[in-house]
Amino acid sequence: MNTQGHKKFSSQNICKILLAAGLISREQALEILKKESKVRDLLLKKLGKEIKDLPKDKQAALISFIDIVLYLKIKRKDEPSKRVDEDLIYKALAQAWKVPYKKIDPLKLELNLVTGTISKSFAAKHLLLPLMIEEGKLIVATPDPFNYEAIHDVEMVSKLKVKPVISAKSDIKKFINEFFGFRYSISAAEDLFSTKGIDIGNLEQFVSLKSMDDLPSTDQHIVNAVNHLFTYSFDQKASDIHIEPKRDICLVRMRIDGVLNTVYKLPKKLHNAVVSRIKTLSRLDMAEKRRPQDGRIKMKKDKTEVEIRVSTIPVAFGEKVVLRIMDPDVLFQDLEGLGFTSTDFKRYKNLVAMPFGIILVTGPTGSGKSTTLYSTLRMLSSSKVNITTIEDPIEMIHEQFNQIAAQPAIDVTFGSVLRNIMRQDPDIIMVGEIRDLETAQAAVQAALTGHLVLSTLHTNDAASTIFRLLDLGIPPYLIHSSLNGIVAQRLVRKICPDCAQEFEMDAKELISLGLQIKTHGMVKLKHGKGCVKCRKTGYRGRTGIYEIMPYSDSLKRLTTSDTGLEELRKQAMREGLVLLRQNGIKKMLQGQTTYQEILRVTWEQ
C-alpha cells in the first residue's frame, strides 16, 4: 500500500468517515480509538504461529483498523438493533472516496475471466479480483483502491483499462480462494483427461466406442470440484443443482428462490467424471447410463445434516443429473410461518385435528407441498401417536416418524405397503403421492378404518382435486365418506426487506392485468429496488399462498358425475374459500410480494 493509502486507512480517517456517514457516534469513535491497541494485540495473538517469523511492522500491517472495528461489534447509531458490519464500512469508505462500491455476486462472475486474467498468488497478495468487462474496461474489486502499482500491473497484463470498485475484504478473500481453487481442480482434471475416444454421451454420433480415457471419479481434483459445487449451493441457499451435458460444455445451474441461475460452464470432457463422482456418493450403478436412476447423499452443512436427492436421466448429449437439496431448516418449519392467513390457518388446524379422514395437499413440483406435510407431521407428532410415512423416495429422515421407501422394482408400491401398514397400528399415515387407483383406494380404506391420512396430488387448485379423484376411479360415495379437505398451494418470492420501496399503481391497471382488487384510484404497493443482500434481484426468501377447502356436506352433495367444476368452486367460495390468486393479492397489498410474482404463479379462475 502506498503512503496515500496508509493515510486513507488510518484509524482517525476511518472514524471520521463512519461519523460522517452517521454509523457511529462521537463517543463510540473515542471508545474504538481507546481500545485500538489492546484489540490489535489480541488479534495478533490469535494469528500465533502464522506470523512469528514476520518483522513487527509487517505483523501490525496484517491487522487493519477495520478488523478492529468489526471485532468490537459496534451498534449502529442510526439503527441500534443492528451492528456496523463489513459491508457498511466499505460502503461508507467508497462513498467518501468517490469510488463505486460493489457487493460481489458469485452467480454473475465468469470463471475464466476471474481466474484467467491474473495469477492466484498476485490476486491473493494484492487482494484484487477481476469481476467483468464493462464498456471496454476491466472491473476489478479491491478493498484498497489506492494500490495504484498493482492496478497498473493488471492493466499491463490484461491490456485493458482497469476500473477499480470497492468490495468487502472478506468477500474478496473468500472468492479468490473459491474461484481459483475450483479453477485449479477443473484445469488439473482436464490435463489428466485425454480426448482420444469419441464422446459416447452425444446421441448425434453414429459410432459409439467405449473410451478408455474416462477420468476416474476418485481423482482428487474431481472430488474437490464436486465438493465445491455442494458448498457453493449451500452458501447460495439453492434448492436444486442441475448438471446438464450440452454439445460442447457441461452446464451447471442452481435454483435459488425458485429461479434457475447458470453458475458454471465446465469443459464437456469433465462431465462424465463429475457425474461418476456424484453416482459414487449416492451409491448408484456407475455402469448404467441408459436408464434413469434415483439415489441419495447425506451431508453435513454447518451443524445440521442435509439430505440430497439425486436423479439421473439420459438426454441427447449424455446423462443429466438433478440434485434436490432437502434442508431440514426448510422442510421442518412452524406451520404459522409458512404463509397462511389467520383464517386459513384456523381452517387448516381444524382439518388436521380430525381423528380420521384424508387431507390432500396439491400443487406442481416445487410448490412447497413437502414442507407443508413434514411441518404438519412434526406438529402432530408426540409419544402418544404412531406416525408412518410411505415415500418415493424418503425426502428427509426424521426419528419421530416410521418412514418406508416405496420400491416399485420389487413391487413395494404405495398401494401394497398401505395395506401392510394397517397391521402396524398407525394413527397418522402420510402417503408421498396418490398416483393411481390402487394407491387412492388404499388411502380411502385407511381413512375409513379410523386413520388420518395425509397425501399429495398434482392438480391446479383445490376444487379440481375432487374431479381428479373421480377420474382415478374413486366412486363419489367413497369420496364423501373419506375426504376431510384439500389444500392447494404455491410459493411466491418475498420482497427483500433491506431494499423494499413503496410505489403507487392505478387500480384499473391491476384489474386489467387480472388482479381483481376492490379499491379504486391509486394503490400503494412495494417492490425491491435490488441491493447487496438480495443480489440485486429485489427478492429474498419465499412464502406460501394457499387455498383451504374443507369438504363440507353441501360440496359432498355437489360431487356427482353431472356437476361442473365451476359450480363446485362457487359453492366453496360461498363457504369461505379464498382462491390462490386472491390470497396472493392480499400478500401483495400487505407489501410482502409483487404483482409480477402473483401473475407468475397463479391464474384467473
Side-chain angles (χ1 to χ4, degrees):
M1 194 188 286
N2 59 20
T3 317
Q4 189 188 358
H6 276 301
K7 284 178 187 171
K8 294 276 187 183
F9 282 92
S10 71
S11 46
Q12 282 81 7
N13 199 38
I14 288 172
C15 275
K16 275 181 194 171
I17 290 169
L18 297 180
L19 271 166
L23 292 172
I24 61 171
S25 65
R26 194 163 292 280
E27 292 76 23
Q28 285 174 311
L30 291 168
E31 187 70 18
I32 298 165
L33 291 168
K34 192 176 157 186
K35 291 180 178 176
E36 181 185 358
S37 174
K38 206 177 195 177
V39 173
R40 189 181 295 279
D41 290 342
L42 205 138
L43 291 172
L44 283 169
K45 204 176 276 181
K46 274 190 175 180
L47 292 172
K49 290 177 184 175
E50 292 177 44
I51 60 160
K52 66 173 184 178
D53 299 328
L54 291 174
K56 287 281 181 211
D57 61 325
K58 288 268 176 76
Q59 285 187 17
L62 287 173
I63 305 296
S64 72
F65 184 67
I66 293 167
D67 296 326
I68 290 159
V69 176
L70 292 170
Y71 178 82
L72 290 168
K73 294 178 179 170
I74 307 294
K75 286 182 179 177
R76 284 173 64 168
K77 184 193 167 189
D78 54 346
E79 286 184 67
S81 60
K82 295 179 182 176
R83 298 192 188 279
V84 176
D85 62 27
E86 195 182 13
D87 283 319
L88 278 171
I89 295 171
Y90 279 103
K91 213 172 185 178
L93 297 179
Q95 211 168 349
W97 296 333
K98 295 185 170 47
V99 178
Y101 171 80
K102 187 159 186 70
K103 176 72 176 170
I104 302 167
D105 180 359
L107 295 176
K108 290 179 181 164
L109 297 185
E110 182 64 52
L111 183 68
N112 291 339
L113 177 75
V114 173
T115 58
T117 311
I118 53 176
S119 69
K120 184 185 179 181
S121 56
F122 184 86
K125 184 183 175 185
H126 299 287
L127 291 177
L128 294 168
L129 188 71
L131 300 181
M132 64 188 81
I133 294 170
E134 206 172 73
E135 295 171 0
K137 289 179 182 173
L138 178 67
I139 312 296
V140 175
T142 174
D144 176 13
F146 308 107
N147 193 351
Y148 300 125
E149 200 178 316
I151 289 167
H152 177 68
D153 288 344
V154 177
E155 287 182 332
M156 297 292 285
V157 170
S158 66
K159 295 181 174 56
L160 287 166
K161 182 79 179 156
V162 167
K163 181 184 173 185
V165 293
I166 290 179
S167 293
K169 186 177 164 184
S170 64
D171 280 358
I172 291 171
K173 277 185 170 178
K174 181 183 178 216
F175 294 124
I176 286 172
N177 287 330
E178 282 190 6
F179 275 79
F180 280 94
F182 185 60
R183 178 71 198 186
Y184 171 74
S185 298
I186 292 300
S187 301
E190 250 190 300
D191 290 342
L192 289 171
F193 189 79
S194 130
T195 51
K196 291 172 193 165
I198 288 172
D199 177 4
I200 61 163
N202 188 341
L203 293 184
E204 292 181 343
Q205 301 286 2
F206 289 109
V207 184
S208 290
L209 298 175
K210 177 68 183 165
S211 166
M212 297 307 290
D213 303 311
D214 273 5
L215 188 65
S217 64
T218 51
D219 178 78
Q220 192 56 48
H221 305 304
I222 286 296
V223 170
N224 290 342
V226 171
N227 286 352
H228 170 82
L229 289 180
F230 285 127
T231 310
Y232 193 64
S233 66
F234 296 156
D235 282 351
Q236 299 300 317
K237 294 183 172 60
S239 60
D240 302 83
I241 307 169
H242 291 237
I243 298 164
E244 305 173 4
K246 302 298 177 190
R247 192 191 306 275
D248 303 312
I249 56 163
C250 165
L251 193 65
V252 179
R253 299 195 289 168
M254 291 182 188
R255 191 177 293 281
I256 300 162
D257 284 342
V259 178
L260 274 172
N261 298 267
T262 299
V263 177
Y264 293 125
K265 291 174 183 173
L266 305 181
K268 176 68 187 289
K269 60 183 89 166
L270 298 185
H271 178 76
N272 283 347
V274 169
V275 172
S276 295
R277 174 63 186 159
I278 291 165
K279 280 184 168 183
T280 304
L281 290 170
S282 52
R283 296 178 184 173
L284 296 179
D285 184 350
M286 302 274 285
E288 183 55 80
K289 297 184 180 186
R290 298 164 302 163
R291 287 194 183 94
Q293 293 188 72
D294 291 307
R296 64 194 311 114
I297 304 167
K298 199 162 195 163
M299 274 198 174
K300 217 167 183 71
K301 183 193 101 175
D302 300 326
K303 290 178 183 175
T304 56
E305 282 187 347
V306 175
E307 298 262 350
I308 297 166
R309 221 165 68 188
V310 181
S311 169
T312 70
I313 199 160
V315 293
F317 296 108
E319 273 185 294
K320 175 176 173 174
V321 180
V322 175
L323 300 111
R324 164 66 63 90
I325 299 161
M326 315 304 294
D327 190 336
D329 295 338
V330 174
L331 274 177
F332 297 107
Q333 296 184 37
D334 288 333
L335 276 176
E336 279 183 89
L338 293 182
F340 290 102
T341 62
S342 54
T343 312
D344 280 347
F345 187 58
K346 278 179 197 166
R347 296 179 109 197
Y348 185 63
K349 278 189 88 174
N350 289 340
L351 287 180
V352 298
M354 290 180 179
F356 57 86
I358 299 175
I359 297 162
L360 292 173
V361 181
T362 76
T365 305
S367 60
K369 299 188 298 294
S370 297
T371 299
T372 301
L373 284 176
Y374 272 109
S375 301
T376 304
L377 289 178
R378 195 175 70 166
M379 184 191 78
L380 295 171
S381 70
S382 76
S383 57
K384 295 176 181 177
V385 292
N386 173 12
I387 296 176
T388 306
T389 76
I390 316 153
E391 302 167 66
D392 183 17
I394 296 169
E395 296 199 11
M396 175 62 66
I397 306 290
H398 194 281
E399 284 188 6
Q400 287 174 298
F401 314 153
N402 299 294
Q403 292 167 286
I404 302 161
Q407 298 174 69
I410 56 168
D411 207 31
V412 179
T413 61
F414 284 136
S416 65
V417 175
L418 255 172
R419 285 192 293 274
N420 289 297
I421 279 178
M422 304 310 286
R423 302 185 198 110
Q424 290 281 316
D425 185 31
D427 296 291
I428 299 164
I429 299 167
M430 194 265 270
V431 183
E433 189 186 335
I434 292 177
R435 299 172 184 166
D436 50 37
L437 179 59
E438 183 197 18
T439 311
Q441 283 174 332
V444 166
Q445 287 307 313
L448 291 175
T449 50
H451 304 91
L452 185 66
V453 180
L454 287 90
S455 190
T456 69
L457 205 61
H458 283 275
T459 59
N460 286 329
D461 63 346
S464 60
T465 305
I466 291 165
F467 291 91
R468 175 78 182 113
L469 290 172
L470 291 167
D471 287 344
L472 280 172
I474 302 295
Y477 71 91
L478 283 180
I479 297 174
H480 297 169
S481 50
S482 61
L483 186 64
N484 289 352
I486 301 156
V487 179
Q489 68 177 87
R490 295 292 185 279
L491 288 175
V492 290
R493 289 183 290 172
K494 290 193 288 187
I495 296 166
C496 172
D498 289 281
C499 63
Q501 284 187 335
E502 267 197 0
F503 72 101
E504 289 192 334
M505 196 168 174
D506 197 324
K508 285 179 185 172
E509 200 179 333
L510 288 166
I511 292 163
S512 71
L513 289 168
L515 300 171
Q516 299 302 320
I517 58 171
K518 290 169 184 172
T519 49
H520 300 285
M522 299 307 283
V523 182
K524 280 188 177 177
L525 300 175
K526 282 186 181 177
H527 70 106
K529 184 187 171 187
C531 68
V532 296
K533 297 277 174 72
C534 63
R535 303 185 335 275
K536 300 285 179 191
T537 60
Y539 298 102
R540 201 161 94 230
R542 290 189 289 175
T543 186
I545 52 171
Y546 298 87
E547 251 180 41
I548 312 286
M549 191 178 95
Y551 193 44
S552 64
D553 290 340
S554 53
L555 292 177
K556 286 174 186 177
R557 285 193 290 275
L558 283 172
T559 305
T560 64
S561 49
D562 304 325
T563 309
L565 174 62
E566 203 51 46
E567 200 180 331
L568 197 121
R569 188 183 287 134
K570 278 178 181 169
Q571 178 57 34
M573 285 167 75
R574 281 194 285 271
E575 293 174 13
L577 173 73
V578 181
L579 300 178
L580 283 167
R581 179 162 280 194
Q582 288 306 314
N583 260 328
I585 290 167
K586 280 184 188 177
K587 278 193 161 47
M588 175 190 79
L589 294 172
Q590 287 163 3
Q592 289 186 51
T593 189
T594 62
Y595 70 88
Q596 291 96 332
E597 275 295 283
I598 305 306
L599 292 169
R600 182 176 72 87
V601 302
T602 66
W603 69 103
E604 239 179 319
Q605 291 165 292

